[in-house]
Coordinates of all heavy atoms in Angstrom, one line a residue:
M1 N -15.8 -2.3 -11.0 CA -14.4 -2.1 -10.7 C -13.7 -3.5 -11.0 O -14.2 -4.5 -10.6 CB -14.2 -1.7 -9.3 CG -12.7 -1.6 -8.9 SD -12.3 -1.3 -7.2 CE -13.3 0.1 -6.8
E2 N -12.6 -3.4 -11.7 CA -11.8 -4.6 -12.0 C -11.0 -5.0 -10.7 O -10.4 -4.2 -10.1 CB -10.9 -4.3 -13.1 CG -10.1 -5.5 -13.6 CD -9.2 -5.1 -14.8 OE1 -9.6 -4.4 -15.6 OE2 -8.1 -5.7 -14.8
Q3 N -11.0 -6.3 -10.4 CA -10.3 -6.8 -9.3 C -8.8 -6.8 -9.6 O -8.4 -7.3 -10.7 CB -10.8 -8.2 -8.9 CG -12.1 -8.2 -8.2 CD -12.2 -7.4 -6.9 OE1 -11.2 -7.2 -6.2 NE2 -13.3 -6.9 -6.5
P4 N -8.0 -6.4 -8.7 CA -6.5 -6.5 -8.9 C -6.0 -7.9 -8.9 O -6.7 -8.8 -8.2 CB -5.9 -5.6 -7.8 CG -7.0 -5.7 -6.7 CD -8.3 -5.8 -7.4
V5 N -4.9 -8.1 -9.5 CA -4.3 -9.4 -9.5 C -3.7 -9.7 -8.2 O -3.6 -10.9 -7.8 CB -3.3 -9.5 -10.6 CG1 -2.1 -8.6 -10.4 CG2 -2.8 -11.0 -10.8
W6 N -3.4 -8.7 -7.4 CA -2.7 -8.8 -6.1 C -3.8 -9.1 -5.0 O -4.9 -8.8 -5.1 CB -2.0 -7.5 -5.7 CG -1.2 -7.0 -6.9 CD1 -1.5 -5.9 -7.6 CD2 0.0 -7.6 -7.4 NE1 -0.5 -5.8 -8.6 CE2 0.4 -6.8 -8.5 CE3 0.8 -8.7 -7.0 CZ2 1.6 -7.0 -9.2 CZ3 2.0 -8.9 -7.8 CH2 2.3 -8.1 -8.8
N7 N -3.3 -9.8 -3.9 CA -4.2 -10.0 -2.8 C -3.4 -9.8 -1.5 O -3.5 -10.6 -0.6 CB -4.8 -11.4 -2.8 CG -6.0 -11.5 -1.9 OD1 -6.5 -10.6 -1.3 ND2 -6.4 -12.8 -1.7
F8 N -2.7 -8.7 -1.4 CA -2.0 -8.3 -0.2 C -3.0 -8.1 1.0 O -2.6 -8.3 2.1 CB -1.2 -7.0 -0.5 CG -0.4 -6.6 0.7 CD1 0.6 -7.4 1.3 CD2 -0.5 -5.3 1.2 CE1 1.4 -6.9 2.4 CE2 0.2 -4.8 2.3 CZ 1.2 -5.7 2.9
E9 N -4.2 -7.6 0.6 CA -5.2 -7.4 1.6 C -5.4 -8.6 2.6 O -5.6 -8.5 3.8 CB -6.5 -7.1 1.0 CG -7.7 -6.9 1.9 CD -9.0 -6.6 1.2 OE1 -9.0 -6.4 -0.1 OE2 -10.0 -6.6 1.9
Q10 N -5.3 -9.8 2.0 CA -5.6 -11.0 2.8 C -4.3 -11.8 3.1 O -4.3 -12.9 3.7 CB -6.5 -11.9 2.0 CG -7.9 -11.3 1.9 CD -8.9 -12.2 1.2 OE1 -8.6 -13.3 0.8 NE2 -10.1 -11.8 1.1
E11 N -3.1 -11.2 2.8 CA -1.8 -11.8 3.1 C -1.7 -11.9 4.7 O -2.0 -10.9 5.3 CB -0.7 -11.0 2.5 CG 0.7 -11.5 2.7 CD 1.0 -12.8 1.9 OE1 0.2 -13.2 1.1 OE2 2.1 -13.3 2.2
P12 N -1.3 -13.0 5.2 CA -1.1 -13.0 6.7 C -0.1 -11.9 7.2 O 0.8 -11.5 6.5 CB -0.5 -14.4 6.9 CG -0.9 -15.2 5.8 CD -1.0 -14.2 4.6
S13 N -0.4 -11.4 8.4 CA 0.4 -10.3 8.9 C 1.0 -10.8 10.3 O 0.3 -11.5 11.0 CB -0.4 -9.1 9.1 OG 0.3 -8.1 9.7
A14 N 2.1 -10.2 10.6 CA 2.7 -10.5 12.0 C 2.0 -9.8 13.1 O 2.1 -10.1 14.3 CB 4.2 -10.2 12.0
E15 N 1.2 -8.7 12.7 CA 0.5 -7.9 13.7 C -1.0 -8.0 13.4 O -1.4 -8.3 12.4 CB 1.0 -6.4 13.6 CG 0.7 -5.8 12.2 CD 1.2 -4.4 12.1 OE1 2.4 -4.2 12.2 OE2 0.4 -3.5 11.8
P16 N -1.7 -7.8 14.5 CA -3.2 -7.8 14.3 C -3.6 -6.7 13.3 O -3.1 -5.6 13.3 CB -3.8 -7.5 15.7 CG -2.6 -7.6 16.6 CD -1.3 -7.5 15.8
L17 N -4.6 -7.0 12.5 CA -5.1 -6.1 11.5 C -6.5 -5.6 11.9 O -7.4 -6.4 12.2 CB -5.2 -6.7 10.1 CG -3.9 -7.2 9.6 CD1 -4.1 -7.9 8.2 CD2 -2.9 -6.1 9.4
D18 N -6.7 -4.3 11.9 CA -8.0 -3.7 12.1 C -8.6 -3.3 10.8 O -8.0 -3.5 9.7 CB -8.0 -2.5 13.1 CG -7.1 -1.4 12.7 OD1 -6.7 -1.3 11.5 OD2 -6.8 -0.5 13.5
E19 N -9.8 -2.7 10.8 CA -10.4 -2.3 9.5 C -9.5 -1.4 8.7 O -9.4 -1.5 7.5 CB -11.8 -1.7 9.8 CG -12.5 -1.2 8.6 CD -13.8 -0.4 8.9 OE1 -13.9 0.2 10.0 OE2 -14.6 -0.4 8.0
T20 N -8.9 -0.4 9.4 CA -8.0 0.5 8.7 C -6.8 -0.2 8.1 O -6.5 0.1 6.9 CB -7.6 1.6 9.7 OG1 -8.8 2.3 10.2 CG2 -6.7 2.7 9.0
S21 N -6.2 -1.1 8.8 CA -5.1 -1.8 8.2 C -5.5 -2.6 7.0 O -4.7 -2.6 6.0 CB -4.5 -2.8 9.3 OG -4.2 -2.2 10.4
I22 N -6.6 -3.2 7.0 CA -7.1 -4.0 5.9 C -7.4 -3.1 4.7 O -7.1 -3.4 3.5 CB -8.3 -4.9 6.3 CG1 -7.9 -5.9 7.3 CG2 -9.0 -5.5 5.0 CD1 -9.0 -6.6 8.0
N23 N -8.0 -1.9 5.0 CA -8.3 -1.0 3.9 C -7.0 -0.4 3.3 O -7.0 -0.2 2.1 CB -9.2 0.2 4.4 CG -10.6 -0.2 4.7 OD1 -11.0 -1.3 4.2 ND2 -11.3 0.6 5.4
L24 N -6.0 -0.2 4.1 CA -4.7 0.3 3.5 C -4.1 -0.8 2.6 O -3.6 -0.5 1.6 CB -3.7 0.6 4.7 CG -2.4 1.1 4.2 CD1 -2.4 2.3 3.3 CD2 -1.5 1.4 5.5
R25 N -4.2 -2.1 3.1 CA -3.7 -3.2 2.2 C -4.4 -3.2 0.9 O -3.8 -3.5 -0.1 CB -3.8 -4.5 3.0 CG -2.7 -4.6 4.1 CD -3.0 -5.7 5.1 NE -1.8 -6.1 5.7 CZ -1.1 -7.3 5.4 NH1 -1.7 -8.2 4.6 NH2 0.0 -7.6 6.0
A26 N -5.8 -3.1 1.0 CA -6.6 -3.1 -0.3 C -6.2 -1.9 -1.2 O -6.2 -2.0 -2.4 CB -8.0 -3.1 0.1
Y27 N -5.9 -0.8 -0.6 CA -5.5 0.4 -1.3 C -4.2 0.1 -2.1 O -4.1 0.4 -3.3 CB -5.2 1.6 -0.3 CG -4.7 2.8 -0.9 CD1 -5.5 3.7 -1.5 CD2 -3.3 3.1 -0.8 CE1 -5.0 4.9 -2.1 CE2 -2.8 4.3 -1.3 CZ -3.7 5.2 -1.9 OH -3.2 6.4 -2.4
F28 N -3.3 -0.6 -1.4 CA -2.0 -1.0 -2.1 C -2.3 -2.0 -3.2 O -1.6 -2.0 -4.2 CB -1.0 -1.4 -1.2 CG -0.4 -0.3 -0.3 CD1 -0.2 -0.4 1.0 CD2 -0.1 1.0 -0.9 CE1 0.4 0.6 1.8 CE2 0.5 2.0 -0.2 CZ 0.7 1.8 1.2
D29 N -3.2 -2.9 -3.0 CA -3.6 -3.9 -4.0 C -4.0 -3.2 -5.3 O -3.7 -3.7 -6.4 CB -4.7 -4.8 -3.6 CG -4.2 -6.0 -2.7 OD1 -3.0 -6.3 -2.7 OD2 -5.1 -6.6 -2.0
R30 N -4.6 -2.1 -5.2 CA -5.1 -1.4 -6.4 C -4.1 -0.4 -7.0 O -4.3 0.2 -8.0 CB -6.4 -0.7 -6.1 CG -7.5 -1.7 -5.9 CD -8.8 -1.1 -5.3 NE -9.9 -2.1 -5.3 CZ -9.9 -3.1 -4.5 NH1 -8.9 -3.4 -3.7 NH2 -10.9 -4.0 -4.5
M31 N -3.0 -0.2 -6.3 CA -1.9 0.7 -6.9 C -1.2 0.0 -8.1 O -0.9 -1.2 -8.0 CB -0.9 1.0 -5.8 CG 0.2 2.0 -6.3 SD 1.3 2.5 -4.9 CE 0.3 3.6 -4.0
P32 N -1.1 0.7 -9.2 CA -0.4 0.1 -10.3 C 1.0 -0.4 -10.0 O 1.8 0.3 -9.2 CB -0.3 1.3 -11.3 CG -1.4 2.2 -10.9 CD -1.5 2.1 -9.4
D33 N 1.4 -1.5 -10.5 CA 2.6 -2.1 -10.2 C 3.8 -1.3 -10.6 O 4.8 -1.2 -9.9 CB 2.7 -3.5 -10.8 CG 3.8 -4.4 -10.2 OD1 4.0 -4.4 -9.0 OD2 4.5 -5.1 -11.0
G34 N 3.7 -0.7 -11.8 CA 4.8 0.2 -12.3 C 5.0 1.4 -11.3 O 6.2 1.7 -11.1
K35 N 4.0 1.9 -10.8 CA 4.1 3.0 -9.8 C 4.8 2.5 -8.6 O 5.7 3.1 -8.1 CB 2.8 3.6 -9.5 CG 2.9 4.7 -8.5 CD 1.5 5.4 -8.2 CE 1.7 6.5 -7.2 NZ 0.5 7.3 -7.1
M36 N 4.3 1.4 -8.1 CA 4.9 0.9 -6.8 C 6.4 0.5 -7.0 O 7.2 0.7 -6.1 CB 4.1 -0.4 -6.4 CG 4.5 -0.8 -5.0 SD 3.5 -2.0 -4.3 CE 2.0 -1.1 -3.9
Q37 N 6.8 0.1 -8.2 CA 8.2 -0.3 -8.4 C 9.1 1.0 -8.5 O 10.3 0.9 -8.4 CB 8.3 -1.1 -9.7 CG 7.7 -2.5 -9.5 CD 8.0 -3.4 -10.8 OE1 9.0 -3.3 -11.4 NE2 7.0 -4.2 -11.1
R38 N 8.4 2.1 -8.7 CA 9.2 3.4 -8.7 C 9.5 4.0 -7.3 O 10.2 5.0 -7.1 CB 8.5 4.4 -9.6 CG 8.6 4.1 -11.1 CD 8.1 5.2 -12.0 NE 6.8 5.6 -11.7 CZ 5.7 5.1 -12.3 NH1 5.8 4.1 -13.1 NH2 4.5 5.6 -12.0
Y39 N 8.8 3.4 -6.3 CA 9.0 3.9 -4.9 C 10.5 3.7 -4.5 O 11.1 2.6 -4.8 CB 8.1 3.1 -4.0 CG 8.4 3.3 -2.5 CD1 8.0 4.5 -1.9 CD2 9.1 2.4 -1.8 CE1 8.3 4.7 -0.5 CE2 9.4 2.6 -0.4 CZ 9.0 3.7 0.2 OH 9.3 3.9 1.5
S40 N 11.0 4.6 -3.7 CA 12.3 4.5 -3.2 C 12.3 4.8 -1.7 O 11.8 5.8 -1.3 CB 13.3 5.5 -3.9 OG 14.5 5.5 -3.2
A41 N 12.8 3.8 -0.9 CA 12.9 4.0 0.5 C 13.7 5.2 0.9 O 13.6 5.7 2.0 CB 13.4 2.7 1.2
G42 N 14.6 5.6 0.0 CA 15.5 6.8 0.3 C 14.8 8.1 0.1 O 15.3 9.1 0.4
C43 N 13.5 8.1 -0.4 CA 12.8 9.4 -0.5 C 12.4 10.0 0.8 O 12.2 9.2 1.8 CB 11.5 9.2 -1.3 SG 11.8 8.8 -3.1
T44 N 12.3 11.3 0.9 CA 11.8 11.9 2.2 C 10.3 11.6 2.3 O 9.6 11.2 1.3 CB 12.0 13.4 2.1 OG1 11.2 14.0 1.1 CG2 13.5 13.8 1.9
N45 N 9.8 11.9 3.5 CA 8.4 11.7 3.7 C 7.6 12.6 2.7 O 6.5 12.2 2.2 CB 8.0 12.0 5.1 CG 8.4 10.9 6.1 OD1 8.7 9.8 5.7 ND2 8.5 11.2 7.4
E46 N 8.0 13.9 2.6 CA 7.3 14.8 1.7 C 7.3 14.3 0.2 O 6.4 14.4 -0.5 CB 8.0 16.2 1.7 CG 7.8 16.9 3.1 CD 8.7 16.3 4.2 OE1 9.8 15.7 3.9 OE2 8.3 16.5 5.4
Q47 N 8.4 13.7 -0.2 CA 8.5 13.1 -1.6 C 7.5 12.0 -1.7 O 6.9 11.8 -2.7 CB 9.9 12.7 -1.9 CG 10.9 13.8 -2.1 CD 12.3 13.4 -2.2 OE1 12.8 12.5 -1.5 NE2 13.1 14.0 -3.1
V48 N 7.4 11.1 -0.7 CA 6.5 10.0 -0.8 C 5.1 10.5 -0.8 O 4.2 10.0 -1.5 CB 6.7 9.0 0.4 CG1 5.7 7.9 0.5 CG2 8.1 8.4 0.3
I49 N 4.8 11.5 0.0 CA 3.4 12.0 0.0 C 3.1 12.6 -1.4 O 2.0 12.4 -1.9 CB 3.3 13.2 1.1 CG1 3.3 12.5 2.5 CG2 2.1 14.0 0.9 CD1 3.4 13.4 3.7
G50 N 4.0 13.3 -2.0 CA 3.8 13.8 -3.4 C 3.7 12.7 -4.4 O 2.9 12.7 -5.3
W51 N 4.5 11.6 -4.2 CA 4.5 10.5 -5.1 C 3.1 9.8 -5.1 O 2.6 9.4 -6.1 CB 5.6 9.5 -4.7 CG 5.6 8.2 -5.4 CD1 6.1 7.9 -6.6 CD2 5.1 7.0 -4.8 NE1 5.9 6.5 -6.8 CE2 5.3 5.9 -5.7 CE3 4.5 6.7 -3.6 CZ2 4.9 4.6 -5.5 CZ3 4.1 5.4 -3.3 CH2 4.3 4.3 -4.3
D52 N 2.6 9.6 -3.9 CA 1.3 9.0 -3.8 C 0.2 9.9 -4.3 O -0.7 9.4 -5.0 CB 1.0 8.5 -2.3 CG -0.4 7.8 -2.2 OD1 -1.4 8.5 -2.1 OD2 -0.4 6.6 -2.3
G53 N 0.2 11.1 -3.9 CA -0.8 12.1 -4.4 C -2.2 12.0 -3.7 O -3.1 12.6 -4.2
N54 N -2.3 11.2 -2.6 CA -3.6 11.0 -2.0 C -3.6 11.3 -0.5 O -4.3 10.7 0.2 CB -4.1 9.6 -2.3 CG -5.6 9.4 -2.1 OD1 -6.3 10.4 -2.3 ND2 -6.0 8.3 -1.6
F55 N -2.7 12.2 -0.1 CA -2.6 12.6 1.3 C -3.3 13.9 1.5 O -3.4 14.8 0.6 CB -1.2 12.8 1.7 CG -0.5 11.4 2.1 CD1 -0.1 10.6 1.2 CD2 -0.3 11.1 3.5 CE1 0.5 9.3 1.5 CE2 0.3 9.9 3.8 CZ 0.6 9.0 2.9
R56 N -4.0 14.1 2.6 CA -4.7 15.3 3.0 C -3.7 16.4 3.4 O -2.5 16.1 3.7 CB -5.7 15.0 4.1 CG -6.7 13.9 3.8 CD -7.7 13.7 4.8 NE -7.1 13.7 6.2 CZ -7.4 12.8 7.1 NH1 -8.3 11.8 6.9 NH2 -6.9 12.9 8.3
D57 N -4.2 17.6 3.6 CA -3.3 18.7 4.0 C -2.8 18.5 5.4 O -1.8 19.0 5.8 CB -4.1 20.0 4.0 CG -4.4 20.4 2.6 OD1 -3.7 20.0 1.6 OD2 -5.3 21.3 2.4
D58 N -3.5 17.7 6.2 CA -3.0 17.4 7.6 C -2.0 16.3 7.7 O -1.5 15.9 8.8 CB -4.2 17.1 8.5 CG -5.0 15.9 8.1 OD1 -4.6 15.2 7.2 OD2 -6.0 15.6 8.8
G59 N -1.6 15.8 6.5 CA -0.5 14.8 6.5 C -0.9 13.3 6.6 O -0.1 12.4 6.7
F60 N -2.2 13.1 6.7 CA -2.7 11.7 6.7 C -3.3 11.3 5.4 O -3.7 12.1 4.6 CB -3.9 11.6 7.8 CG -3.4 11.8 9.2 CD1 -3.7 13.0 9.8 CD2 -2.6 10.9 9.8 CE1 -3.3 13.2 11.1 CE2 -2.2 11.1 11.1 CZ -2.6 12.3 11.8
L61 N -3.2 10.0 5.1 CA -3.7 9.4 3.8 C -5.2 9.6 3.8 O -5.9 9.3 4.7 CB -3.3 7.9 3.7 CG -3.7 7.2 2.5 CD1 -2.9 7.8 1.3 CD2 -3.5 5.7 2.6
F62 N -5.7 10.0 2.6 CA -7.1 10.1 2.4 C -7.6 8.7 2.0 O -7.3 8.2 0.9 CB -7.4 11.1 1.3 CG -8.9 11.2 1.0 CD1 -9.7 11.8 1.9 CD2 -9.5 10.6 -0.1 CE1 -11.1 11.9 1.7 CE2 -10.8 10.7 -0.4 CZ -11.7 11.3 0.6
L63 N -8.3 8.1 2.9 CA -8.8 6.7 2.7 C -10.1 6.7 3.4 O -10.3 6.9 4.5 CB -7.8 5.7 3.4 CG -7.9 4.3 2.9 CD1 -7.6 4.1 1.4 CD2 -6.9 3.5 3.7
Q64 N -11.1 6.3 2.6 CA -12.5 6.3 3.1 C -12.7 5.0 4.0 O -12.0 4.0 3.8 CB -13.5 6.3 2.0 CG -13.4 7.6 1.2 CD -14.4 7.7 0.0 OE1 -14.9 6.7 -0.4 NE2 -14.6 8.9 -0.5
C65 N -13.8 5.1 4.8 CA -14.2 4.0 5.6 C -13.1 3.5 6.6 O -12.9 2.3 6.6 CB -14.8 2.9 4.8 SG -16.1 3.4 3.7
C66 N -12.4 4.4 7.2 CA -11.4 4.0 8.2 C -11.7 4.5 9.6 O -12.3 5.5 9.8 CB -10.1 4.6 7.7 SG -9.4 3.9 6.3
E67 N -11.3 3.7 10.6 CA -11.5 4.0 11.9 C -10.5 5.0 12.5 O -10.8 5.6 13.5 CB -11.5 2.7 12.8 CG -12.5 1.7 12.4 CD -12.3 0.3 13.0 OE1 -11.1 0.0 13.3 OE2 -13.3 -0.4 13.2
R68 N -9.4 5.0 11.9 CA -8.3 5.9 12.4 C -7.5 6.5 11.2 O -7.6 6.0 10.1 CB -7.4 5.1 13.3 CG -6.8 3.9 12.7 CD -5.9 3.1 13.7 NE -5.5 1.9 13.0 CZ -4.5 1.8 12.2 NH1 -3.9 2.9 11.8 NH2 -4.1 0.7 11.6
N69 N -6.7 7.4 11.5 CA -5.8 8.1 10.5 C -4.6 7.2 10.2 O -4.0 6.6 11.1 CB -5.4 9.5 10.9 CG -6.6 10.4 10.9 OD1 -7.4 10.4 10.0 ND2 -6.6 11.3 11.9
I70 N -4.1 7.3 9.0 CA -2.9 6.6 8.6 C -1.8 7.7 8.3 O -1.9 8.5 7.4 CB -3.1 5.8 7.3 CG1 -4.1 4.7 7.6 CG2 -1.8 5.2 6.8 CD1 -4.6 4.0 6.3
D71 N -0.8 7.7 9.2 CA 0.3 8.6 9.0 C 1.4 8.1 8.1 O 1.3 6.9 7.6 CB 0.9 9.0 10.4 CG 1.6 7.9 11.1 OD1 1.9 6.8 10.5 OD2 1.9 8.1 12.3
I72 N 2.4 8.9 7.7 CA 3.3 8.5 6.7 C 4.2 7.3 7.2 O 4.6 6.5 6.4 CB 4.2 9.7 6.3 CG1 5.1 9.4 5.1 CG2 5.0 10.3 7.5 CD1 4.4 9.1 3.9
S73 N 4.5 7.2 8.5 CA 5.3 6.1 9.0 C 4.6 4.8 8.8 O 5.2 3.8 8.3 CB 5.8 6.3 10.4 OG 4.7 6.4 11.3
E74 N 3.3 4.7 9.1 CA 2.5 3.5 8.9 C 2.4 3.2 7.4 O 2.6 2.1 7.0 CB 1.2 3.6 9.6 CG 0.3 2.3 9.3 CD -1.1 2.4 9.9 OE1 -1.4 3.4 10.5 OE2 -1.7 1.4 9.8
Y75 N 2.1 4.2 6.6 CA 2.0 4.1 5.2 C 3.3 3.5 4.6 O 3.2 2.5 3.9 CB 1.7 5.5 4.6 CG 1.7 5.5 3.1 CD1 0.5 5.4 2.4 CD2 2.9 5.6 2.3 CE1 0.4 5.4 1.0 CE2 2.8 5.7 0.9 CZ 1.6 5.5 0.3 OH 1.6 5.5 -1.1
R76 N 4.4 4.0 5.0 CA 5.7 3.5 4.4 C 6.0 2.1 4.8 O 6.4 1.3 4.1 CB 6.9 4.4 4.8 CG 6.8 5.8 4.1 CD 8.0 6.7 4.5 NE 9.1 6.3 3.8 CZ 9.9 7.1 3.2 NH1 9.8 8.4 3.3 NH2 11.0 6.7 2.5
R77 N 5.7 1.8 6.1 CA 6.0 0.4 6.6 C 5.1 -0.6 5.9 O 5.7 -1.6 5.4 CB 5.7 0.4 8.1 CG 5.9 -1.0 8.8 CD 5.6 -1.0 10.3 NE 4.3 -0.4 10.6 CZ 3.1 -1.0 10.5 NH1 3.1 -2.2 9.9 NH2 2.0 -0.4 10.8
V78 N 3.9 -0.3 5.7 CA 3.0 -1.2 5.0 C 3.3 -1.3 3.5 O 3.2 -2.3 2.9 CB 1.5 -0.9 5.3 CG1 0.6 -1.8 4.6 CG2 1.2 -1.0 6.8
L79 N 3.6 -0.1 2.9 CA 4.0 -0.1 1.5 C 5.2 -1.0 1.3 O 5.2 -1.8 0.3 CB 4.3 1.3 1.1 CG 4.9 1.5 -0.3 CD1 3.9 1.0 -1.4 CD2 5.2 3.0 -0.6
E80 N 6.2 -0.9 2.1 CA 7.4 -1.7 2.0 C 7.1 -3.2 2.2 O 7.7 -4.1 1.5 CB 8.5 -1.2 2.8 CG 9.0 0.2 2.4 CD 9.9 0.9 3.3 OE1 10.4 0.3 4.2 OE2 10.2 2.1 3.0
E81 N 6.2 -3.5 3.0 CA 5.7 -4.9 3.2 C 5.0 -5.4 1.9 O 5.2 -6.5 1.4 CB 4.7 -5.1 4.3 CG 5.3 -5.0 5.7 CD 4.2 -5.0 6.8 OE1 3.1 -5.5 6.5 OE2 4.4 -4.5 7.9
C82 N 4.2 -4.5 1.3 CA 3.5 -4.8 0.1 C 4.5 -5.0 -1.1 O 4.3 -5.9 -1.9 CB 2.5 -3.8 -0.3 SG 1.5 -4.1 -1.7
I83 N 5.5 -4.2 -1.1 CA 6.6 -4.3 -2.2 C 7.2 -5.7 -2.1 O 7.5 -6.4 -3.1 CB 7.5 -3.2 -2.1 CG1 6.9 -1.9 -2.6 CG2 8.8 -3.5 -3.0 CD1 7.6 -0.6 -2.3
R84 N 7.5 -6.1 -0.9 CA 8.2 -7.4 -0.7 C 7.2 -8.6 -1.1 O 7.6 -9.5 -1.7 CB 8.6 -7.6 0.8 CG 9.8 -6.8 1.1 CD 10.4 -7.1 2.5 NE 9.5 -6.8 3.6 CZ 9.4 -5.6 4.2 NH1 10.1 -4.6 3.8 NH2 8.5 -5.5 5.2
Y85 N 5.9 -8.4 -0.7 CA 4.9 -9.4 -1.1 C 4.8 -9.5 -2.6 O 4.8 -10.6 -3.2 CB 3.5 -8.9 -0.5 CG 2.3 -9.5 -1.2 CD1 1.9 -10.8 -1.0 CD2 1.6 -8.8 -2.2 CE1 0.8 -11.4 -1.7 CE2 0.6 -9.3 -2.9 CZ 0.2 -10.6 -2.6 OH -0.9 -11.1 -3.3
R86 N 4.7 -8.3 -3.3 CA 4.6 -8.4 -4.8 C 5.9 -9.0 -5.4 O 5.8 -9.8 -6.4 CB 4.4 -7.0 -5.3 CG 3.0 -6.5 -5.1 CD 2.8 -5.3 -6.0 NE 1.4 -4.7 -5.7 CZ 0.9 -3.8 -6.4 NH1 1.5 -3.2 -7.4 NH2 -0.3 -3.3 -6.1
A87 N 7.0 -8.7 -4.9 CA 8.3 -9.3 -5.4 C 8.2 -10.8 -5.3 O 8.7 -11.6 -6.2 CB 9.5 -8.8 -4.7
R88 N 7.6 -11.3 -4.2 CA 7.6 -12.8 -4.0 C 6.5 -13.4 -4.8 O 6.8 -14.5 -5.4 CB 7.2 -13.0 -2.5 CG 7.1 -14.5 -2.1 CD 6.9 -14.6 -0.6 NE 5.9 -13.8 0.0 CZ 4.6 -14.1 0.0 NH1 4.2 -15.2 -0.6 NH2 3.7 -13.3 0.6
V89 N 5.4 -12.8 -5.1 CA 4.3 -13.5 -5.8 C 4.2 -13.1 -7.3 O 3.6 -13.8 -8.1 CB 2.9 -13.2 -5.2 CG1 2.9 -13.7 -3.7 CG2 2.5 -11.8 -5.3
R90 N 4.9 -12.0 -7.7 CA 4.9 -11.6 -9.1 C 5.2 -12.7 -10.1 O 4.4 -12.8 -11.1 CB 5.8 -10.4 -9.3 CG 5.7 -9.7 -10.7 CD 6.6 -8.6 -10.8 NE 6.1 -7.4 -10.0 CZ 6.7 -7.0 -9.0 NH1 7.9 -7.5 -8.5 NH2 6.2 -6.0 -8.3
P91 N 6.2 -13.5 -9.9 CA 6.5 -14.5 -10.9 C 5.4 -15.5 -11.1 O 5.2 -16.1 -12.2 CB 7.7 -15.2 -10.3 CG 8.4 -14.3 -9.4 CD 7.2 -13.4 -8.8
N92 N 4.5 -15.7 -10.1 CA 3.4 -16.6 -10.2 C 2.2 -16.0 -10.8 O 1.3 -16.7 -11.2 CB 3.1 -17.3 -8.8 CG 4.3 -18.1 -8.3 OD1 5.0 -18.7 -9.1 ND2 4.4 -18.0 -7.0
L93 N 2.1 -14.7 -10.8 CA 0.9 -14.0 -11.2 C 1.0 -13.3 -12.5 O 0.0 -13.1 -13.2 CB 0.5 -12.9 -10.1 CG 0.1 -13.5 -8.7 CD1 -0.2 -12.4 -7.8 CD2 -1.1 -14.4 -8.8
I94 N 2.1 -12.8 -12.8 CA 2.3 -12.0 -14.1 C 3.4 -12.7 -14.9 O 4.6 -12.8 -14.6 CB 2.8 -10.6 -13.7 CG1 1.7 -10.0 -12.9 CG2 3.0 -9.8 -15.0 CD1 2.0 -8.6 -12.4
P95 N 3.0 -13.2 -16.1 CA 4.0 -13.8 -17.0 C 5.0 -12.8 -17.5 O 4.8 -11.7 -17.7 CB 3.1 -14.3 -18.2 CG 1.8 -13.6 -18.1 CD 1.7 -13.1 -16.7
P96 N 6.3 -13.3 -17.6 CA 7.3 -12.4 -18.1 C 7.0 -11.9 -19.5 O 6.4 -12.6 -20.3 CB 8.6 -13.2 -18.1 CG 8.2 -14.6 -17.7 CD 6.7 -14.6 -17.4
V97 N 7.4 -10.7 -19.8 CA 7.2 -10.0 -21.1 C 8.3 -10.4 -22.0 O 9.4 -10.5 -21.8 CB 7.1 -8.5 -20.9 CG1 6.9 -7.9 -22.3 CG2 6.0 -8.1 -20.0

């Protein structure tokens, strides 16, 4: 597996991180940048679930090796943190086209 250019997984957090939190951050590290840039905070939860395409029928994110379930509110909160992280580090990691 190719390592992503991003390292949100190890970015400091204002809250304590458990194994599930770290796995979610790693999940976002592997999400294509173009897809993440198409995210809109104005979308409904159902639209975000469809946009990601990796949620189970019970409404939780399908993520292996987790101690707990990730609901849409946690998913969105961490996704938006990751978007801010990428905006901050992108100029140093990806040369302009």
